[in-house]
Amino acid sequence: MKILIIGSTGTIGSAIYNTLRNEYKEVYGAHRNSDLYPVDITDKASIKNLFEKLPKLDAVINAAGTASWKPLSELKEKDYLLGIHSKLMGQVNLVHVATDYLSDNASITLTTGILAEHYEPNATSLSLVNGAIHSFVNAASNEIDRGIRLNVVAPGAIAGDFPEDQKFAGYLPVKMNEVVDVYKQVLTNNSTGTIYKKY
Ligand SMILES: NC(=O)c1ccc[n+]([C@@H]2O[C@H](COP(=O)([O-])OP(=O)(O)OC[C@H]3O[C@@H](n4cnc5c(N)ncnc54)[C@H](OP(=O)(O)O)[C@@H]3O)[C@@H](O)[C@H]2O)c1
């Protein structure tokens, strides 16, 4: 299986990348500042350029994308637009481009988070974006051709990144290896349109 991880130097992406590299022969890591495989998911041309460089892939996992952390009273339109352009449209762009390049029955996995359905102060903009991605995956997974599957993993706060004994959005942080296991499971099962909640 040939697999691409976008955001492969991040907290979640690096854990996925390092795990899968031990288990599969061809695993590619991409992110904006990569020497080998630079990509900016906010730019569709950049995503196309990346796929042009790579062999035909069987799976792509995205763990890249950001949004603003601010209280509701301070959120300006430009703050919302950061998350809409990056975490939301970045992942939507990826789905559109990837479906032209991936092999038949390939797997696309996006990343959202617990904030799609649980409240945390200063995180309204992330909640908005995560919820929109879930709705996108619910709908778009029905229309993708060639058996290509589209799923999303919604992790809680990652233990280590957040204090392990402190609740985030009402839930204790989750162990990284358990989150990585969910991404691994999606690679080889038959699911599509599923939101994998890990919290
Ligand atoms: N960490 C958590 O506890 C947690 C929990 C639940 C959900 N999440 C979600 O999981 C995702 C990843 O979080 P993280 O904490 O692992 O992030 P992170 O540590 O900030 O890493 C982000 C990764 O994505 C790359 N990246 C950022 N913007 C990009 C872009 N526009 N195009 C391509 N690559 C880009 C970064 O490398 P470059 O800077 O080189 O591009 C880096 O490799 C986010 O959507 C986050 O909301 C995180």
PDB file of all heavy atoms in Angstrom, residues 45-83:
ATOM      1  N   ALA A  45      -3.454  24.188  -6.415  1.00  0.00           N
ATOM      2  CA  ALA A  45      -2.361  23.934  -7.365  1.00  0.00           C
ATOM      3  C   ALA A  45      -1.199  23.247  -6.653  1.00  0.00           C
ATOM      4  O   ALA A  45      -0.522  22.374  -7.222  1.00  0.00           O
ATOM      5  CB  ALA A  45      -1.901  25.243  -7.992  1.00  0.00           C
ATOM      6  N   SER A  46      -0.952  23.631  -5.424  1.00  0.00           N
ATOM      7  CA  SER A  46       0.127  23.025  -4.643  1.00  0.00           C
ATOM      8  C   SER A  46      -0.181  21.543  -4.360  1.00  0.00           C
ATOM      9  O   SER A  46       0.715  20.686  -4.420  1.00  0.00           O
ATOM     10  CB  SER A  46       0.297  23.822  -3.339  1.00  0.00           C
ATOM     11  OG  SER A  46       1.085  23.122  -2.432  1.00  0.00           O
ATOM     12  N   ILE A  47      -1.436  21.236  -4.093  1.00  0.00           N
ATOM     13  CA  ILE A  47      -1.824  19.835  -3.835  1.00  0.00           C
ATOM     14  C   ILE A  47      -1.650  19.021  -5.127  1.00  0.00           C
ATOM     15  O   ILE A  47      -1.121  17.905  -5.105  1.00  0.00           O
ATOM     16  CB  ILE A  47      -3.275  19.736  -3.324  1.00  0.00           C
ATOM     17  CG1 ILE A  47      -3.477  20.572  -2.063  1.00  0.00           C
ATOM     18  CG2 ILE A  47      -3.639  18.276  -3.041  1.00  0.00           C
ATOM     19  CD1 ILE A  47      -4.933  20.671  -1.600  1.00  0.00           C
ATOM     20  N   LYS A  48      -2.096  19.607  -6.252  1.00  0.00           N
ATOM     21  CA  LYS A  48      -1.936  18.908  -7.544  1.00  0.00           C
ATOM     22  C   LYS A  48      -0.466  18.638  -7.815  1.00  0.00           C
ATOM     23  O   LYS A  48      -0.086  17.546  -8.245  1.00  0.00           O
ATOM     24  CB  LYS A  48      -2.493  19.777  -8.683  1.00  0.00           C
ATOM     25  CG  LYS A  48      -3.972  19.656  -8.842  1.00  0.00           C
ATOM     26  CD  LYS A  48      -4.436  20.369 -10.099  1.00  0.00           C
ATOM     27  CE  LYS A  48      -5.941  20.320 -10.172  1.00  0.00           C
ATOM     28  NZ  LYS A  48      -6.554  21.319 -11.006  1.00  0.00           N
ATOM     29  N   ASN A  49       0.360  19.636  -7.589  1.00  0.00           N
ATOM     30  CA  ASN A  49       1.798  19.518  -7.809  1.00  0.00           C
ATOM     31  C   ASN A  49       2.386  18.364  -6.993  1.00  0.00           C
ATOM     32  O   ASN A  49       3.219  17.590  -7.482  1.00  0.00           O
ATOM     33  CB  ASN A  49       2.444  20.862  -7.434  1.00  0.00           C
ATOM     34  CG  ASN A  49       3.894  20.897  -7.780  1.00  0.00           C
ATOM     35  OD1 ASN A  49       4.279  20.481  -8.869  1.00  0.00           O
ATOM     36  ND2 ASN A  49       4.720  21.377  -6.855  1.00  0.00           N
ATOM     37  N   LEU A  50       1.926  18.214  -5.764  1.00  0.00           N
ATOM     38  CA  LEU A  50       2.398  17.129  -4.908  1.00  0.00           C
ATOM     39  C   LEU A  50       2.003  15.777  -5.496  1.00  0.00           C
ATOM     40  O   LEU A  50       2.850  14.867  -5.602  1.00  0.00           O
ATOM     41  CB  LEU A  50       1.813  17.284  -3.496  1.00  0.00           C
ATOM     42  CG  LEU A  50       2.057  16.115  -2.538  1.00  0.00           C
ATOM     43  CD1 LEU A  50       3.541  15.969  -2.223  1.00  0.00           C
ATOM     44  CD2 LEU A  50       1.264  16.300  -1.243  1.00  0.00           C
ATOM     45  N   PHE A  51       0.740  15.623  -5.883  1.00  0.00           N
ATOM     46  CA  PHE A  51       0.290  14.332  -6.426  1.00  0.00           C
ATOM     47  C   PHE A  51       1.012  14.001  -7.729  1.00  0.00           C
ATOM     48  O   PHE A  51       1.247  12.832  -8.021  1.00  0.00           O
ATOM     49  CB  PHE A  51      -1.230  14.322  -6.615  1.00  0.00           C
ATOM     50  CG  PHE A  51      -1.976  13.998  -5.344  1.00  0.00           C
ATOM     51  CD1 PHE A  51      -2.413  15.007  -4.507  1.00  0.00           C
ATOM     52  CD2 PHE A  51      -2.207  12.680  -4.978  1.00  0.00           C
ATOM     53  CE1 PHE A  51      -3.090  14.709  -3.331  1.00  0.00           C
ATOM     54  CE2 PHE A  51      -2.880  12.368  -3.800  1.00  0.00           C
ATOM     55  CZ  PHE A  51      -3.327  13.396  -2.971  1.00  0.00           C
ATOM     56  N   GLU A  52       1.351  15.026  -8.515  1.00  0.00           N
ATOM     57  CA  GLU A  52       2.084  14.796  -9.773  1.00  0.00           C
ATOM     58  C   GLU A  52       3.455  14.176  -9.505  1.00  0.00           C
ATOM     59  O   GLU A  52       3.982  13.422 -10.303  1.00  0.00           O
ATOM     60  CB  GLU A  52       2.277  16.116 -10.544  1.00  0.00           C
ATOM     61  CG  GLU A  52       1.008  16.701 -11.165  1.00  0.00           C
ATOM     62  CD  GLU A  52       0.533  15.923 -12.397  1.00  0.00           C
ATOM     63  OE1 GLU A  52       1.314  15.127 -12.934  1.00  0.00           O
ATOM     64  OE2 GLU A  52      -0.642  16.099 -12.773  1.00  0.00           O
ATOM     65  N   LYS A  53       4.058  14.522  -8.365  1.00  0.00           N
ATOM     66  CA  LYS A  53       5.407  14.032  -8.018  1.00  0.00           C
ATOM     67  C   LYS A  53       5.397  12.604  -7.502  1.00  0.00           C
ATOM     68  O   LYS A  53       6.438  11.940  -7.477  1.00  0.00           O
ATOM     69  CB  LYS A  53       5.960  14.883  -6.856  1.00  0.00           C
ATOM     70  CG  LYS A  53       6.595  16.164  -7.244  1.00  0.00           C
ATOM     71  CD  LYS A  53       7.271  16.696  -5.987  1.00  0.00           C
ATOM     72  CE  LYS A  53       7.617  18.151  -6.142  1.00  0.00           C
ATOM     73  NZ  LYS A  53       7.917  18.766  -4.853  1.00  0.00           N
ATOM     74  N   LEU A  54       4.246  12.156  -7.002  1.00  0.00           N
ATOM     75  CA  LEU A  54       4.180  10.872  -6.294  1.00  0.00           C
ATOM     76  C   LEU A  54       3.655   9.775  -7.202  1.00  0.00           C
ATOM     77  O   LEU A  54       2.963  10.052  -8.182  1.00  0.00           O
ATOM     78  CB  LEU A  54       3.241  11.022  -5.083  1.00  0.00           C
ATOM     79  CG  LEU A  54       3.758  11.936  -3.970  1.00  0.00           C
ATOM     80  CD1 LEU A  54       2.640  12.279  -2.993  1.00  0.00           C
ATOM     81  CD2 LEU A  54       4.908  11.270  -3.223  1.00  0.00           C
ATOM     82  N   PRO A  55       3.947   8.513  -6.871  1.00  0.00           N
ATOM     83  CA  PRO A  55       3.325   7.415  -7.618  1.00  0.00           C
ATOM     84  C   PRO A  55       1.829   7.375  -7.298  1.00  0.00           C
ATOM     85  O   PRO A  55       1.371   8.085  -6.394  1.00  0.00           O
ATOM     86  CB  PRO A  55       4.022   6.170  -7.062  1.00  0.00           C
ATOM     87  CG  PRO A  55       4.499   6.558  -5.725  1.00  0.00           C
ATOM     88  CD  PRO A  55       4.807   8.023  -5.777  1.00  0.00           C
ATOM     89  N   LYS A  56       1.084   6.546  -8.019  1.00  0.00           N
ATOM     90  CA  LYS A  56      -0.349   6.403  -7.732  1.00  0.00           C
ATOM     91  C   LYS A  56      -0.525   5.862  -6.319  1.00  0.00           C
ATOM     92  O   LYS A  56       0.048   4.830  -5.975  1.00  0.00           O
ATOM     93  CB  LYS A  56      -0.986   5.449  -8.746  1.00  0.00           C
ATOM     94  CG  LYS A  56      -2.437   5.743  -9.037  1.00  0.00           C
ATOM     95  CD  LYS A  56      -2.916   4.987 -10.253  1.00  0.00           C
ATOM     96  CE  LYS A  56      -4.333   5.350 -10.644  1.00  0.00           C
ATOM     97  NZ  LYS A  56      -4.523   6.741 -11.039  1.00  0.00           N
ATOM     98  N   LEU A  57      -1.300   6.558  -5.512  1.00  0.00           N
ATOM     99  CA  LEU A  57      -1.390   6.215  -4.092  1.00  0.00           C
ATOM    100  C   LEU A  57      -2.662   5.438  -3.776  1.00  0.00           C
ATOM    101  O   LEU A  57      -3.685   5.592  -4.455  1.00  0.00           O
ATOM    102  CB  LEU A  57      -1.384   7.497  -3.247  1.00  0.00           C
ATOM    103  CG  LEU A  57      -0.128   8.372  -3.355  1.00  0.00           C
ATOM    104  CD1 LEU A  57      -0.407   9.764  -2.805  1.00  0.00           C
ATOM    105  CD2 LEU A  57       1.035   7.714  -2.618  1.00  0.00           C
ATOM    106  N   ASP A  58      -2.590   4.641  -2.693  1.00  0.00           N
ATOM    107  CA  ASP A  58      -3.750   3.880  -2.229  1.00  0.00           C
ATOM    108  C   ASP A  58      -4.443   4.556  -1.042  1.00  0.00           C
ATOM    109  O   ASP A  58      -5.561   4.188  -0.690  1.00  0.00           O
ATOM    110  CB  ASP A  58      -3.310   2.476  -1.799  1.00  0.00           C
ATOM    111  CG  ASP A  58      -2.566   1.793  -2.929  1.00  0.00           C
ATOM    112  OD1 ASP A  58      -3.155   1.631  -4.005  1.00  0.00           O
ATOM    113  OD2 ASP A  58      -1.356   1.484  -2.751  1.00  0.00           O
ATOM    114  N   ALA A  59      -3.750   5.498  -0.435  1.00  0.00           N
ATOM    115  CA  ALA A  59      -4.359   6.173   0.715  1.00  0.00           C
ATOM    116  C   ALA A  59      -3.704   7.520   0.964  1.00  0.00           C
ATOM    117  O   ALA A  59      -2.495   7.670   0.768  1.00  0.00           O
ATOM    118  CB  ALA A  59      -4.220   5.308   1.968  1.00  0.00           C
ATOM    119  N   VAL A  60      -4.526   8.476   1.387  1.00  0.00           N
ATOM    120  CA  VAL A  60      -3.989   9.747   1.871  1.00  0.00           C
ATOM    121  C   VAL A  60      -4.661  10.068   3.200  1.00  0.00           C
ATOM    122  O   VAL A  60      -5.874   9.903   3.353  1.00  0.00           O
ATOM    123  CB  VAL A  60      -4.151  10.894   0.827  1.00  0.00           C
ATOM    124  CG1 VAL A  60      -5.572  11.065   0.376  1.00  0.00           C
ATOM    125  CG2 VAL A  60      -3.622  12.210   1.377  1.00  0.00           C
ATOM    126  N   ILE A  61      -3.816  10.473   4.147  1.00  0.00           N
ATOM    127  CA  ILE A  61      -4.302  10.878   5.471  1.00  0.00           C
ATOM    128  C   ILE A  61      -3.898  12.334   5.663  1.00  0.00           C
ATOM    129  O   ILE A  61      -2.720  12.677   5.492  1.00  0.00           O
ATOM    130  CB  ILE A  61      -3.653  10.022   6.589  1.00  0.00           C
ATOM    131  CG1 ILE A  61      -4.095   8.564   6.461  1.00  0.00           C
ATOM    132  CG2 ILE A  61      -4.004  10.578   7.960  1.00  0.00           C
ATOM    133  CD1 ILE A  61      -3.362   7.610   7.399  1.00  0.00           C
ATOM    134  N   ASN A  62      -4.847  13.177   6.006  1.00  0.00           N
ATOM    135  CA  ASN A  62      -4.501  14.566   6.282  1.00  0.00           C
ATOM    136  C   ASN A  62      -4.569  14.850   7.776  1.00  0.00           C
ATOM    137  O   ASN A  62      -5.602  14.616   8.413  1.00  0.00           O
ATOM    138  CB  ASN A  62      -5.458  15.534   5.575  1.00  0.00           C
ATOM    139  CG  ASN A  62      -5.051  16.970   5.877  1.00  0.00           C
ATOM    140  OD1 ASN A  62      -4.023  17.433   5.407  1.00  0.00           O
ATOM    141  ND2 ASN A  62      -5.820  17.655   6.718  1.00  0.00           N
ATOM    142  N   ALA A  63      -3.466  15.394   8.323  1.00  0.00           N
ATOM    143  CA  ALA A  63      -3.446  15.847   9.716  1.00  0.00           C
ATOM    144  C   ALA A  63      -2.877  17.264   9.747  1.00  0.00           C
ATOM    145  O   ALA A  63      -2.084  17.614  10.609  1.00  0.00           O
ATOM    146  CB  ALA A  63      -2.620  14.899  10.572  1.00  0.00           C
ATOM    147  N   ALA A  64      -3.292  18.071   8.756  1.00  0.00           N
ATOM    148  CA  ALA A  64      -2.840  19.470   8.678  1.00  0.00           C
ATOM    149  C   ALA A  64      -4.051  20.384   8.615  1.00  0.00           C
ATOM    150  O   ALA A  64      -5.116  19.990   8.144  1.00  0.00           O
ATOM    151  CB  ALA A  64      -1.985  19.671   7.424  1.00  0.00           C
ATOM    152  N   GLY A  65      -3.849  21.599   9.087  1.00  0.00           N
ATOM    153  CA  GLY A  65      -4.927  22.588   9.019  1.00  0.00           C
ATOM    154  C   GLY A  65      -5.100  23.271  10.346  1.00  0.00           C
ATOM    155  O   GLY A  65      -4.982  22.635  11.402  1.00  0.00           O
ATOM    156  N   THR A  66      -5.376  24.562  10.290  1.00  0.00           N
ATOM    157  CA  THR A  66      -5.457  25.329  11.534  1.00  0.00           C
ATOM    158  C   THR A  66      -6.726  26.184  11.565  1.00  0.00           C
ATOM    159  O   THR A  66      -7.468  26.265  10.597  1.00  0.00           O
ATOM    160  CB  THR A  66      -4.183  26.191  11.684  1.00  0.00           C
ATOM    161  OG1 THR A  66      -4.140  26.700  12.999  1.00  0.00           O
ATOM    162  CG2 THR A  66      -4.141  27.338  10.691  1.00  0.00           C
ATOM    163  N   ALA A  67      -6.951  26.822  12.708  1.00  0.00           N
ATOM    164  CA  ALA A  67      -8.071  27.768  12.874  1.00  0.00           C
ATOM    165  C   ALA A  67      -7.737  28.657  14.075  1.00  0.00           C
ATOM    166  O   ALA A  67      -6.797  28.368  14.817  1.00  0.00           O
ATOM    167  CB  ALA A  67      -9.378  27.026  13.091  1.00  0.00           C
ATOM    168  N   SER A  68      -8.509  29.750  14.241  1.00  0.00           N
ATOM    169  CA  SER A  68      -8.215  30.717  15.319  1.00  0.00           C
ATOM    170  C   SER A  68      -8.742  30.260  16.670  1.00  0.00           C
ATOM    171  O   SER A  68      -9.838  29.714  16.755  1.00  0.00           O
ATOM    172  CB  SER A  68      -8.905  32.051  15.021  1.00  0.00           C
ATOM    173  OG  SER A  68      -8.429  32.595  13.852  1.00  0.00           O
ATOM    174  N   TRP A  69      -7.946  30.517  17.701  1.00  0.00           N
ATOM    175  CA  TRP A  69      -8.365  30.289  19.085  1.00  0.00           C
ATOM    176  C   TRP A  69      -8.631  31.654  19.708  1.00  0.00           C
ATOM    177  O   TRP A  69      -7.672  32.390  20.001  1.00  0.00           O
ATOM    178  CB  TRP A  69      -7.267  29.592  19.874  1.00  0.00           C
ATOM    179  CG  TRP A  69      -7.015  28.171  19.486  1.00  0.00           C
ATOM    180  CD1 TRP A  69      -6.194  27.736  18.494  1.00  0.00           C
ATOM    181  CD2 TRP A  69      -7.588  27.011  20.083  1.00  0.00           C
ATOM    182  NE1 TRP A  69      -6.218  26.368  18.438  1.00  0.00           N
ATOM    183  CE2 TRP A  69      -7.070  25.896  19.403  1.00  0.00           C
ATOM    184  CE3 TRP A  69      -8.503  26.800  21.131  1.00  0.00           C
ATOM    185  CZ2 TRP A  69      -7.425  24.587  19.734  1.00  0.00           C
ATOM    186  CZ3 TRP A  69      -8.841  25.496  21.457  1.00  0.00           C
ATOM    187  CH2 TRP A  69      -8.310  24.412  20.762  1.00  0.00           C
ATOM    188  N   LYS A  70      -9.901  32.020  19.883  1.00  0.00           N
ATOM    189  CA  LYS A  70     -10.246  33.310  20.493  1.00  0.00           C
ATOM    190  C   LYS A  70     -11.629  33.197  21.109  1.00  0.00           C
ATOM    191  O   LYS A  70     -12.463  32.433  20.603  1.00  0.00           O
ATOM    192  CB  LYS A  70     -10.299  34.415  19.428  1.00  0.00           C
ATOM    193  CG  LYS A  70      -8.968  34.949  18.986  1.00  0.00           C
ATOM    194  CD  LYS A  70      -9.144  36.140  18.053  1.00  0.00           C
ATOM    195  CE  LYS A  70      -7.781  36.668  17.609  1.00  0.00           C
ATOM    196  NZ  LYS A  70      -7.914  37.792  16.673  1.00  0.00           N
ATOM    197  N   PRO A  71     -11.922  34.025  22.140  1.00  0.00           N
ATOM    198  CA  PRO A  71     -13.295  34.033  22.651  1.00  0.00           C
ATOM    199  C   PRO A  71     -14.251  34.591  21.596  1.00  0.00           C
ATOM    200  O   PRO A  71     -13.844  35.373  20.734  1.00  0.00           O
ATOM    201  CB  PRO A  71     -13.227  34.959  23.875  1.00  0.00           C
ATOM    202  CG  PRO A  71     -11.927  35.657  23.811  1.00  0.00           C
ATOM    203  CD  PRO A  71     -11.021  34.896  22.898  1.00  0.00           C
ATOM    204  N   LEU A  72     -15.508  34.203  21.677  1.00  0.00           N
ATOM    205  CA  LEU A  72     -16.517  34.602  20.690  1.00  0.00           C
ATOM    206  C   LEU A  72     -16.533  36.119  20.490  1.00  0.00           C
ATOM    207  O   LEU A  72     -16.591  36.611  19.361  1.00  0.00           O
ATOM    208  CB  LEU A  72     -17.902  34.124  21.154  1.00  0.00           C
ATOM    209  CG  LEU A  72     -19.056  34.408  20.214  1.00  0.00           C
ATOM    210  CD1 LEU A  72     -18.911  33.617  18.919  1.00  0.00           C
ATOM    211  CD2 LEU A  72     -20.394  34.090  20.888  1.00  0.00           C
ATOM    212  N   SER A  73     -16.431  36.857  21.595  1.00  0.00           N
ATOM    213  CA  SER A  73     -16.538  38.321  21.507  1.00  0.00           C
ATOM    214  C   SER A  73     -15.387  38.944  20.722  1.00  0.00           C
ATOM    215  O   SER A  73     -15.481  40.072  20.262  1.00  0.00           O
ATOM    216  CB  SER A  73     -16.582  38.929  22.913  1.00  0.00           C
ATOM    217  OG  SER A  73     -15.397  38.572  23.595  1.00  0.00           O
ATOM    218  N   GLU A  74     -14.291  38.220  20.579  1.00  0.00           N
ATOM    219  CA  GLU A  74     -13.130  38.776  19.852  1.00  0.00           C
ATOM    220  C   GLU A  74     -12.994  38.243  18.437  1.00  0.00           C
ATOM    221  O   GLU A  74     -12.117  38.666  17.685  1.00  0.00           O
ATOM    222  CB  GLU A  74     -11.829  38.447  20.614  1.00  0.00           C
ATOM    223  CG  GLU A  74     -11.698  39.235  21.895  1.00  0.00           C
ATOM    224  CD  GLU A  74     -10.465  38.820  22.682  1.00  0.00           C
ATOM    225  OE1 GLU A  74      -9.503  38.282  22.092  1.00  0.00           O
ATOM    226  OE2 GLU A  74     -10.486  39.016  23.913  1.00  0.00           O
ATOM    227  N   LEU A  75     -13.840  37.282  18.078  1.00  0.00           N
ATOM    228  CA  LEU A  75     -13.707  36.671  16.748  1.00  0.00           C
ATOM    229  C   LEU A  75     -14.217  37.626  15.669  1.00  0.00           C
ATOM    230  O   LEU A  75     -15.388  38.001  15.655  1.00  0.00           O
ATOM    231  CB  LEU A  75     -14.497  35.358  16.682  1.00  0.00           C
ATOM    232  CG  LEU A  75     -13.814  34.114  17.245  1.00  0.00           C
ATOM    233  CD1 LEU A  75     -14.807  32.962  17.324  1.00  0.00           C
ATOM    234  CD2 LEU A  75     -12.592  33.714  16.429  1.00  0.00           C
ATOM    235  N   LYS A  76     -13.314  38.009  14.782  1.00  0.00           N
ATOM    236  CA  LYS A  76     -13.665  38.834  13.620  1.00  0.00           C
ATOM    237  C   LYS A  76     -13.813  37.901  12.417  1.00  0.00           C
ATOM    238  O   LYS A  76     -13.365  36.762  12.435  1.00  0.00           O
ATOM    239  CB  LYS A  76     -12.539  39.840  13.336  1.00  0.00           C
ATOM    240  CG  LYS A  76     -12.172  40.706  14.521  1.00  0.00           C
ATOM    241  CD  LYS A  76     -13.136  41.874  14.651  1.00  0.00           C
ATOM    242  CE  LYS A  76     -12.712  42.790  15.789  1.00  0.00           C
ATOM    243  NZ  LYS A  76     -13.400  42.529  17.057  1.00  0.00           N
ATOM    244  N   GLU A  77     -14.379  38.455  11.342  1.00  0.00           N
ATOM    245  CA  GLU A  77     -14.577  37.617  10.149  1.00  0.00           C
ATOM    246  C   GLU A  77     -13.249  37.009   9.677  1.00  0.00           C
ATOM    247  O   GLU A  77     -13.186  35.851   9.284  1.00  0.00           O
ATOM    248  CB  GLU A  77     -15.227  38.444   9.035  1.00  0.00           C
ATOM    249  CG  GLU A  77     -15.637  37.580   7.856  1.00  0.00           C
ATOM    250  CD  GLU A  77     -16.475  38.335   6.835  1.00  0.00           C
ATOM    251  OE1 GLU A  77     -17.017  39.407   7.159  1.00  0.00           O
ATOM    252  OE2 GLU A  77     -16.549  37.837   5.699  1.00  0.00           O
ATOM    253  N   LYS A  78     -12.183  37.807   9.749  1.00  0.00           N
ATOM    254  CA  LYS A  78     -10.888  37.295   9.264  1.00  0.00           C
ATOM    255  C   LYS A  78     -10.395  36.125  10.128  1.00  0.00           C
ATOM    256  O   LYS A  78      -9.680  35.258   9.638  1.00  0.00           O
ATOM    257  CB  LYS A  78      -9.841  38.404   9.165  1.00  0.00           C
ATOM    258  CG  LYS A  78      -9.353  38.975  10.462  1.00  0.00           C
ATOM    259  CD  LYS A  78      -8.201  39.928  10.190  1.00  0.00           C
ATOM    260  CE  LYS A  78      -7.760  40.740  11.364  1.00  0.00           C
ATOM    261  NZ  LYS A  78      -7.605  40.118  12.658  1.00  0.00           N
ATOM    262  N   ASP A  79     -10.788  36.111  11.391  1.00  0.00           N
ATOM    263  CA  ASP A  79     -10.399  34.988  12.245  1.00  0.00           C
ATOM    264  C   ASP A  79     -11.120  33.712  11.800  1.00  0.00           C
ATOM    265  O   ASP A  79     -10.507  32.643  11.727  1.00  0.00           O
ATOM    266  CB  ASP A  79     -10.723  35.284  13.708  1.00  0.00           C
ATOM    267  CG  ASP A  79      -9.981  36.512  14.221  1.00  0.00           C
ATOM    268  OD1 ASP A  79      -8.770  36.602  13.958  1.00  0.00           O
ATOM    269  OD2 ASP A  79     -10.620  37.383  14.844  1.00  0.00           O
ATOM    270  N   TYR A  80     -12.417  33.838  11.534  1.00  0.00           N
ATOM    271  CA  TYR A  80     -13.147  32.667  11.031  1.00  0.00           C
ATOM    272  C   TYR A  80     -12.552  32.194   9.703  1.00  0.00           C
ATOM    273  O   TYR A  80     -12.429  31.003   9.440  1.00  0.00           O
ATOM    274  CB  TYR A  80     -14.626  32.993  10.806  1.00  0.00           C
ATOM    275  CG  TYR A  80     -15.448  33.088  12.070  1.00  0.00           C
ATOM    276  CD1 TYR A  80     -15.916  34.313  12.533  1.00  0.00           C
ATOM    277  CD2 TYR A  80     -15.782  31.939  12.795  1.00  0.00           C
ATOM    278  CE1 TYR A  80     -16.693  34.399  13.677  1.00  0.00           C
ATOM    279  CE2 TYR A  80     -16.551  32.020  13.943  1.00  0.00           C
ATOM    280  CZ  TYR A  80     -17.006  33.251  14.381  1.00  0.00           C
ATOM    281  OH  TYR A  80     -17.764  33.324  15.523  1.00  0.00           O
ATOM    282  N   LEU A  81     -12.201  33.187   8.846  1.00  0.00           N
ATOM    283  CA  LEU A  81     -11.714  32.830   7.507  1.00  0.00           C
ATOM    284  C   LEU A  81     -10.411  32.038   7.554  1.00  0.00           C
ATOM    285  O   LEU A  81     -10.145  31.225   6.670  1.00  0.00           O
ATOM    286  CB  LEU A  81     -11.555  34.086   6.633  1.00  0.00           C
ATOM    287  CG  LEU A  81     -12.889  34.702   6.182  1.00  0.00           C
ATOM    288  CD1 LEU A  81     -12.660  36.003   5.417  1.00  0.00           C
ATOM    289  CD2 LEU A  81     -13.693  33.719   5.328  1.00  0.00           C
ATOM    290  N   LEU A  82      -9.610  32.257   8.598  1.00  0.00           N
ATOM    291  CA  LEU A  82      -8.368  31.481   8.732  1.00  0.00           C
ATOM    292  C   LEU A  82      -8.691  29.976   8.744  1.00  0.00           C
ATOM    293  O   LEU A  82      -8.131  29.195   7.971  1.00  0.00           O
ATOM    294  CB  LEU A  82      -7.623  31.873  10.018  1.00  0.00           C
ATOM    295  CG  LEU A  82      -6.393  31.022  10.332  1.00  0.00           C
ATOM    296  CD1 LEU A  82      -5.261  31.304   9.353  1.00  0.00           C
ATOM    297  CD2 LEU A  82      -5.908  31.252  11.760  1.00  0.00           C
ATOM    298  N   GLY A  83      -9.608  29.585   9.614  1.00  0.00           N
ATOM    299  CA  GLY A  83      -9.976  28.168   9.714  1.00  0.00           C
ATOM    300  C   GLY A  83     -10.716  27.680   8.482  1.00  0.00           C
ATOM    301  O   GLY A  83     -10.551  26.536   8.054  1.00  0.00           O
TER     302      GLY A  83
END
